[in-house]
Amino acid sequence: MTELEELQEIWNRPLAHIEKGDEEIAALLNLKGRSLVSRLRQSVWFELTVTGVASILLIAYLFTVQSAAMRSTIFSLITLFLIFIYVYTRKLWILRHFTKMNGSLHENIVHVMSRTRKYIRFFYGSYIILYPLFYCLTLSFVALETGWDYFKETFITPGFIADLVVFLGVYIIVAFWLTRWYLQRLFGDYLQQLNKILDDLGKLEEQPGHNNAEDNL
Amino acid sequence: MLDEKDFITLVRENQGIIHKICFLYEEDREARNDLFQDVVLQLWKSRKTFRGEAKATTWMYRVALNTAISGVRKKSRRPSLEYLDQRHDNLADVQPENREEKTRMLYEAIRTLAPVDKAMIMMALDELSYDEIASTIGITPNNVRVRMNRIRERLRKKLKTP
């Protein structure tokens, strides 16, 4: 028996003790994926559903409210929720065709890396807009709550505006640092691993080929 | 396109491929179960790309390796050989012990290889042609041949090291 045949004989030994039956395999088809992308998709769907339902409830509530200040607050919230609905829909679109299972390993890795980078860019980009927006909305809620005239008199002073700008800067830096940390934790090692595999595949293509008929493992 | 019944039969008959990939790419039982589930789901979603005239094993390898190598999953903290321990316990009564030891050594040796090398040696052991391996990995058959020499050499050294 040659070396190859011996290895193949070892490799092809039955795995009877872990083999699954038809029912177990059928049950798997009703489960959800366990990969990070599947879990992200499930969580974005959940967020989208909750935001959608909350928006509908708020729109219904808007028609029953008499106070102008309250109407403005609700209207701002609805606008914010609609922005979130756009963000979640876009995230789902990016996550939808994350892998290219029918392609070769090389094609699939290139595709997955491009999708991951796209997702990260979108995640960052959306928060570049959303963080300052949260901040401005909070200020407008304070203005609505206290009354515009009182707000103008009390808060719009050079000292207070300087404080607001400093606080906005700190807020944005902390928020971005947290976003970066989260994305790094989520995808950092993963992108590095994929890059390493891609390098490995690249080296394979660069190496000088040689034909050796006896090497047939 | 495969219907559910044919799909289940196909997976049942070829599940050895998925089990081996799960064992070689994931280190603990929970992660392997997750990967098995993901591979079956990906095969199910990709079933329209399976053409009856193509070899089922090639198609399964393509989808399963893409899932295992490019999928993001929770990483296990410690390596475990429980899969083989269990195998050893179960087959000890019916097979000579040295065969089990050889199996363990082969799996352990393959597990130490780089992800692409693992994929290539697995397909070679399952008797896929160089052309099939090349198209699954996305390189030329000649590069498969060159790389296979190196993998074989590495495996030989590992298997001879006590």
Side-chain angles (χ1 to χ4, degrees):
Chain A
M1 189 184 273
T2 66
E3 183 189 39
L4 170 62
E5 284 168 338
E6 190 185 3
L7 288 178
Q8 279 174 335
E9 190 269 327
I10 295 169
W11 180 254
N12 289 322
R13 283 174 195 166
L15 301 160
H17 71 285
I18 50 163
E19 279 182 0
K20 293 185 191 295
D22 286 1
E23 283 178 14
E24 281 174 287
I25 295 167
L28 290 177
L29 302 182
N30 298 318
L31 297 175
K32 288 178 175 149
R34 302 291 300 152
S35 70
L36 181 63
V37 173
S38 302
R39 279 182 282 137
L40 271 176
R41 207 181 293 136
Q42 288 155 28
S43 103
V44 177
W45 265 116
F46 175 76
E47 289 167 321
L48 180 63
T49 309
V50 170
T51 314
V53 170
S55 304
I56 292 167
L57 291 176
L58 277 175
I59 290 169
Y61 184 57
L62 184 66
F63 292 107
T64 66
V65 173
Q66 301 300 321
S67 147
M70 193 65 176
R71 284 178 82 112
S72 305
T73 308
I74 293 172
F75 188 77
S76 308
L77 279 175
I78 291 170
T79 310
L80 187 67
F81 283 4
L82 290 177
I83 293 169
F84 268 109
I85 287 174
Y86 168 76
V87 169
Y88 294 144
T89 312
R90 182 101 177 121
K91 273 186 185 177
L92 281 175
W93 182 82
I94 297 172
L95 292 170
R96 195 168 165 218
H97 298 292
F98 211 82
T99 52
K100 201 175 184 181
M101 289 295 159
N102 314 320
S104 66
L105 183 64
H106 187 278
E107 281 172 319
N108 187 44
I109 289 176
V110 169
H111 179 79
V112 169
M113 285 180 76
S114 139
R115 282 273 155 172
T116 309
R117 289 193 176 119
K118 199 171 193 168
Y119 185 82
I120 292 172
R121 270 201 308 271
F122 178 70
F123 204 105
Y124 259 128
S126 58
Y127 283 97
I128 282 175
I129 298 165
L130 286 175
Y131 285 137
L133 190 69
F134 292 152
Y135 191 79
C136 293
L137 270 177
T138 311
L139 281 180
S140 66
F141 288 153
V142 173
L144 283 168
E145 189 64 30
T146 56
W148 178 243
D149 291 336
Y150 178 79
F151 182 80
K152 212 163 63 176
E153 253 176 51
T154 319
F155 297 110
I156 304 192
T157 59
F160 190 73
I161 289 173
D163 288 348
L164 281 181
V165 171
V166 170
F167 186 74
L168 177 66
V170 172
Y171 170 74
I172 287 178
I173 288 168
V174 171
F176 275 96
W177 183 82
L178 282 174
T179 309
R180 196 183 163 79
W181 173 82
Y182 170 73
L183 288 172
Q184 178 64 34
R185 208 176 127 81
L186 208 58
F187 292 114
D189 292 346
Y190 174 59
L191 276 174
Q192 267 180 0
Q193 278 171 27
L194 290 183
N195 236 333
K196 217 169 139 185
I197 296 171
L198 211 54
D199 278 353
D200 195 21
L201 286 167
K203 275 179 208 153
L204 262 174
E205 280 167 3
E206 283 164 14
Q207 69 195 356
H210 70 99
N211 291 301
N212 208 340
E214 61 181 5
D215 303 328
N216 64 345
L217 180 63
Chain B
M1 190 165 72
L2 289 168
D3 63 18
E4 189 173 329
K5 198 176 156 214
D6 290 342
F7 174 80
I8 290 170
T9 307
L10 185 75
V11 171
R12 178 173 39 76
E13 285 172 355
N14 295 285
Q15 61 180 298
I17 291 173
I18 312 176
H19 282 298
K20 285 168 186 169
I21 288 176
C22 291
F23 173 68
L24 292 171
Y25 285 92
E26 291 294 351
E27 290 175 340
D28 67 37
R29 190 191 298 249
E30 192 193 343
R32 281 197 296 271
N33 287 339
D34 286 353
L35 178 56
F36 193 96
Q37 186 177 319
D38 270 344
V39 170
V40 172
L41 284 172
Q42 286 299 341
L43 285 167
W44 176 244
K45 283 181 194 164
S46 313
R47 69 192 185 283
K48 61 174 178 244
T49 63
F50 173 62
R51 294 181 299 278
E53 69 271 17
K55 264 169 78 179
T57 46
T58 314
W59 173 69
M60 287 183 78
Y61 258 117
R62 188 180 284 257
V63 176
L65 285 171
N66 275 334
T67 310
I69 297 177
S70 65
V72 202
R73 254 166 299 278
K74 201 170 59 182
K75 287 285 150 205
S76 53
R77 291 199 178 96
R78 58 186 173 79
S80 155
L81 290 171
E82 64 197 46
Y83 177 92
L84 289 180
D85 293 343
Q86 188 187 347
R87 182 189 164 96
H88 187 275
D89 289 340
N90 286 354
L91 298 180
D93 300 337
V94 287
Q95 294 191 346
E97 204 173 76
N98 66 334
R99 280 173 56 120
E100 289 308 308
E101 201 49 41
K102 278 185 180 176
T103 308
R104 170 192 282 276
M105 284 170 69
L106 176 64
Y107 274 82
E108 276 187 55
I110 296 175
R111 278 181 74 166
T112 60
L113 298 173
V116 177
D117 292 354
K118 272 186 216 177
M120 287 166 73
I121 190 73
M122 286 173 81
M123 287 187 276
L125 287 169
D126 269 333
E127 297 178 62
L128 268 68
S129 69
Y130 282 174
D131 282 345
E132 287 168 319
I133 296 173
S135 87
T136 306
I137 301 291
I139 53 173
T140 65
N142 200 42
N143 283 334
V144 172
R145 189 174 294 113
V146 175
R147 183 67 162 246
M148 213 53 98
N149 291 335
R150 295 182 192 163
I151 301 171
R152 185 171 67 167
E153 202 47 50
R154 252 177 252 157
L155 267 186
R156 187 181 287 136
K157 278 181 194 160
K158 284 180 196 293
L159 290 169
K160 279 182 182 166
T161 309

